[in-house]
Structures are given as structure tokens and as C-alpha cells.
Amino acid sequence: MLEDGSEEDSCSQTTAAASAVTVTGTGHIDQLIHTATPTHDGVRRSKESDDGARVVAFRTKSELDVMDDGFKWRKYGKKMVKSSPNPRNYYRCSSGDCQVKKRIERDIEDSSYVITTYTGIHNHPIPGVGYYNQMPLMVPYDYDWTLQASSQSPFS
DNA sequence: CGCCTTTGACCAGCGC
DNA sequence: GCGCTGGTCAAAGGCG
């Protein structure tokens, strides 16, 4: 599973292309912790969309728990996990039939950092394009993070 | 009136 | 086989 606490590759679950993204700006993404494209090495959760779903986790320095990335998120769960003293919040994209999920928890080490984990790809345009508040968006559709990580920032 | 947040319970997977 | 942990669902309430 994705160990959010450790930014090292403690997760050897899938074909993971780990990379580090450092974006300077107004509290933008500090570090892309982990990206993974779950093939199917084994049977993961029996629930819905897990095939081909992308998992992207990154750490952001922010006082806000949830960041406005342009999409509409609806909270559907909150849980105290053992791996962290901080609660973990679960969000789901509420735009149409988009089934992208987002998991948010504060960093164990620095509570000023927020660990955000996206699962899935948005299959719709960004509803709030034009006004990103805290954070640049997670690019919808098929975005090559590893490419951008080594060349330039995908955010602007 | 509609949408979102909150909270507890339930379910499934994994490890021992 | 049992227990533990994480993830999701569903109902109720609140707010815009």
C-alpha cells in the first residue's frame, strides 16, 4: 500500500515510476512522492475502478487541509489510521461520472505538509479552470508526469 | 431545494 | 481461522 509517511519507495507494489518534483511558487507542490500505474500484479481491491487507475501522491506545504485544484470534491470518509496520528480524509470527484478519488492527510513529520494522493484520471474538463487557489491542478486525462518532472514544471 | 460534511458501521484484504 | 487495518457506504444535519 502506499505508505504516505515515508517518501522513500517503501511501496514496491507496482511498476512505480518515482520522481521528485519541486515547484517553487505560492505553496505549490513541493515534492512528487510517488506515481504508479497499477497494472495487475495481483488482485487488489475488489471494488470498482482499479484497473488502469493512476495513483499519484505528492506532498504540499499548506496550512489548508484541502486544496482547491479546480475540481469539485466531495468528502465521503474520514479515518484515523494507525500509520499516522493525523486523520486521513477521503474525497471523490463530484463532477458527473468522474470516479477520481483523493486521499488527504497531514505529514507525520511536518504537520505543515499535506500528503495528497490522487487515484484515477479525470474524464472531464476542469470545472473551475482559471482560478486555481492553492495548488495547480492534477492534470486530467493522460499526463506524463515523469516526463515533466525531468524537464519542466507542468504547473503554471 | 440541492449539495456537501460528518460520523459510525460495515466489508474486504492481509498478516500472523 | 482470527484479528487488525484501511476504505467505502449510507443516513442525518447543516449551509448556501
Side-chain angles (χ1 to χ4, degrees):
Chain A
M1 200 175 295
L2 251 169
E3 276 305 328
D4 293 337
S6 51
E7 63 240 56
E8 224 68 54
D9 59 64
S10 59
C11 30
S12 57
Q13 45 163 4
T14 49
T15 58
S19 51
V21 170
T22 304
V23 179
T24 51
T26 49
H28 284 180
I29 290 178
D30 262 335
Q31 187 175 27
L32 178 64
I33 295 173
H34 174 85
T35 65
T37 304
T39 48
H40 57 87
D41 42 30
V43 192
R44 292 211 60 76
R45 293 284 190 255
S46 61
K47 283 286 183 184
E48 47 200 24
S49 68
D50 216 349
D51 67 326
R54 265 174 192 72
V55 178
V56 181
F58 52 85
R59 189 168 57 170
T60 311
K61 183 160 191 168
S62 171
E63 323 87 52
L64 300 176
D65 283 335
V66 56
M67 295 156 285
D68 185 6
D69 51 9
F71 292 98
K72 299 240 345 169
W73 298 99
R74 181 178 48 190
K75 186 186 239 183
Y76 68 89
K78 174 180 158 187
K79 190 89 179 197
M80 296 296 296
V81 291
K82 223 176 177 186
S83 55
S84 170
N86 306 310
R88 179 176 293 174
N89 296 287
Y90 299 91
Y91 294 87
R92 175 178 283 168
C93 185
S94 63
S95 297
D97 58 347
C98 185
Q99 46 192 0
V100 176
K101 290 172 215 162
K102 176 166 128 179
R103 200 163 40 233
I104 295 179
E105 76 175 286
R106 301 211 84 95
D107 196 316
I108 302 173
E109 315 272 321
D110 302 306
S111 54
S112 58
Y113 283 87
V114 176
I115 311 271
T116 307
T117 306
Y118 286 87
T119 304
I121 308 289
H122 291 281
N123 59 2
H124 59 90
I126 307 142
V129 65
Y131 57 94
Y132 307 130
N133 224 355
Q134 273 294 314
M135 203 192 98
L137 69 145
M138 280 306 304
V139 191
Y141 309 117
D142 204 351
Y143 192 86
D144 196 340
W145 277 85
T146 55
L147 176 70
Q148 291 297 328
S150 56
S151 56
Q152 57 173 319
S153 164
F155 324 114
S156 64

